[in-house]
Amino acid sequence: MFISEIQNSFEQSLPAHARVSDWIHPERGPDGRELRTYAVRFDGDPKRVLISISGTHGAEAFIGSLIQQRLLERLSKRQGARLPTVILIHNLNCFGSAWIRRGNHQNIDLNRNSWSGPVPEHPAFERYVSLLGSKGALEFGARLALQLPDIPRFGLGPVLEAVARGQSAHPESPFYCGRERSFEIRSLQNYLKSEINPDHLQVLDIHTGLGSYMQESLIAEPDLTLEQAQEFESLFATKLIDTRSPGYYPTTGTLGQIFPETFPQTKIGYLTQEFGTRNFLTVLKALVLENSSWQKQKSMDSQRIDPMLHAFFPAEKDWRDQITQVGVQRFFALHDSI
Ligand SMILES: [Zn+2]
């Protein structure tokens, strides 16, 4: 399944009363097709806004789009000024999803790119540059083995921390946070600025690849207050993951950071919704090997893309059904409470 098919079915599900905007990416897809991100707006109370985002990481757009297509079906039957305004941002990293990559055309990780101030420097990443630059499965295994003496002492913690913090020194390596704000994030921010000015904003950003198979993790970003976290927990009847607690590492420059920056007066609840697929090392290996293959040759070689789909968009029907269902359920819990 390629993103063009998904994009077509998304376009066909757009209801007549939704207001559709889009922005065209400067680069093209593998079939020469134009790439675009859609912003689909359902008008309701302008002071209460709910946003769903798919495809911040390209290869994760597939399930995000399937969830949003279900949302379109349901939202098309709901209208009224007492409902919140809803915006679906579809396929934010449209270059990454078309080429089945995590990052954008500049290899920027869009969930590491919304930092402000000086370019973030993370010297600890240097220790993992060679592991994360491995060119084949054997090399990845060998380099991982070199790190193994540390694992009994520190667990996978230092690798996780390096991944979470990202890096700005190696544009050709994974988890690159960029040295300036990307086309995709700027476009999103410009769109939001021109469209909304809410008192209360909630955002659900859909991701896959972290956590065990079919497990959902709702991740609270550091800006979320304790009170807001408790509100979410009682609404969802589940614990949030707080990246400030032991064993977790806050990510630098997450997409969530653009919201308080754009709307400093607004009450904001931003959550990353992660759906688990394969184990951490399988996912990491897929990312590392895909990246080195891409750096060598930009093609749709199945050896490059199949492990990415396996890691970020499992073909198992039970996974897709379950994740779609939970994605829709969480969205409407927010929709009915905001
Ligand atoms: Zn992701």
Side-chain angles (χ1 to χ4, degrees):
M1 188 181 278
F2 291 102
I3 200 69
S4 50
E5 291 169 50
I6 287 202
Q7 188 107 343
N8 288 343
S9 59
F10 182 82
E11 286 165 4
Q12 281 157 17
S13 343
L14 288 170
H17 71 283
R19 283 209 278 135
V20 182
S21 311
D22 61 21
W23 48 92
I24 310 279
H25 197 274
E27 304 272 330
R28 291 196 172 235
D31 50 5
R33 198 178 134 127
E34 244 176 17
L35 302 173
R36 76 182 67 215
T37 296
Y38 278 112
V40 183
R41 174 178 174 143
F42 292 84
D43 281 324
D45 178 356
K47 292 294 159 197
R48 295 174 293 135
V49 178
L50 172 60
I51 301 179
S52 156
I53 302 175
S54 70
T56 300
H57 290 139
E60 300 164 31
F62 297 86
I63 193 67
S65 178
L66 295 181
I67 293 171
Q68 289 181 329
Q69 288 177 37
R70 289 278 192 86
L71 300 183
L72 286 179
E73 273 170 35
R74 291 244 217 134
L75 288 165
S76 64
K77 295 178 195 133
R78 297 186 180 203
Q79 278 187 71
R82 292 172 63 186
L83 297 174
T85 290
V86 168
I87 294 175
L88 307 185
I89 303 294
H90 179 262
N91 199 8
L92 178 61
N93 179 6
C94 53
F95 179 89
S97 64
W99 290 93
I100 313 185
R101 308 210 65 224
R102 177 182 174 93
N104 74 353
H105 58 300
Q106 294 164 312
N107 210 32
I108 295 176
D109 184 324
L110 298 188
N111 207 31
R112 305 281 184 282
N113 182 235
S114 299
W115 44 270
S116 51
V119 179
E121 305 288 347
H122 295 137
F125 189 86
E126 297 306 316
R127 188 165 160 72
Y128 301 99
V129 169
S130 54
L131 169 70
L132 298 175
S134 304
K135 290 178 185 57
L138 277 176
E139 187 186 343
F140 180 80
R143 294 203 181 275
L144 186 68
L146 288 176
Q147 314 282 352
L148 281 179
D150 282 353
I151 289 179
R153 249 185 317 153
F154 304 116
L156 279 169
V159 187
L160 283 168
E161 186 174 8
V163 165
R165 291 199 188 282
Q167 51 90 19
S168 58
H170 304 275
E172 74 292 350
S173 285
F175 314 111
Y176 175 53
C177 66
R179 300 188 71 83
E180 55 187 31
R181 209 157 274 189
S182 62
F183 164 80
E184 293 83 352
I185 305 287
R186 280 187 284 116
S187 304
L188 173 60
Q189 229 170 342
N190 290 340
Y191 167 79
L192 294 173
K193 256 187 228 161
S194 68
E195 280 285 319
I196 56 170
N197 185 19
D199 292 337
H200 190 186
L201 172 64
Q202 287 191 333
V203 187
L204 202 52
D205 186 21
I206 308 164
H207 287 256
T208 64
L210 195 71
S212 50
Y213 186 75
M214 260 182 359
Q215 180 202 333
E216 181 206 33
S217 309
L218 292 167
I219 303 170
E221 301 299 337
D223 289 334
L224 203 71
T225 64
L226 194 62
E227 187 197 342
Q228 284 176 302
Q230 283 165 349
E231 279 172 26
F232 279 131
E233 288 183 343
S234 80
L235 177 66
F236 295 135
T238 189
K239 289 297 264 181
L240 301 186
I241 289 177
D242 184 337
T243 54
R244 290 160 295 190
S245 53
Y248 295 98
Y249 301 92
T251 304
T252 306
T254 53
L255 182 60
Q257 303 198 0
I258 66 165
F259 296 97
E261 184 185 300
T262 315
F263 305 109
Q265 307 301 328
T266 303
K267 181 187 173 196
I268 297 167
Y270 171 92
L271 287 177
T272 302
Q273 185 179 33
E274 270 283 357
F275 294 109
T277 55
R278 316 298 177 188
N279 71 54
F280 174 69
L281 283 179
T282 303
V283 172
L284 184 65
K285 187 163 123 184
L287 280 176
V288 166
L289 301 189
E290 184 282 329
N291 187 63
S292 44
S293 162
W294 175 261
Q295 300 299 341
K296 208 163 59 187
Q297 196 194 2
K298 298 173 175 40
S299 77
M300 290 300 274
D301 175 5
S302 64
Q303 278 194 336
R304 180 181 72 80
I305 64 180
D306 290 354
M308 286 295 283
L309 292 172
H310 177 76
F312 294 101
F313 185 47
E316 289 90 329
K317 187 174 180 307
D318 62 346
W319 187 88
R320 292 186 184 180
D321 289 350
Q322 167 74 9
I323 301 316
T324 309
Q325 193 192 329
V326 176
V328 171
Q329 188 190 326
R330 295 300 191 211
F331 176 88
F332 278 106
L334 287 173
H335 183 270
D336 297 342
S337 73
I338 186 175

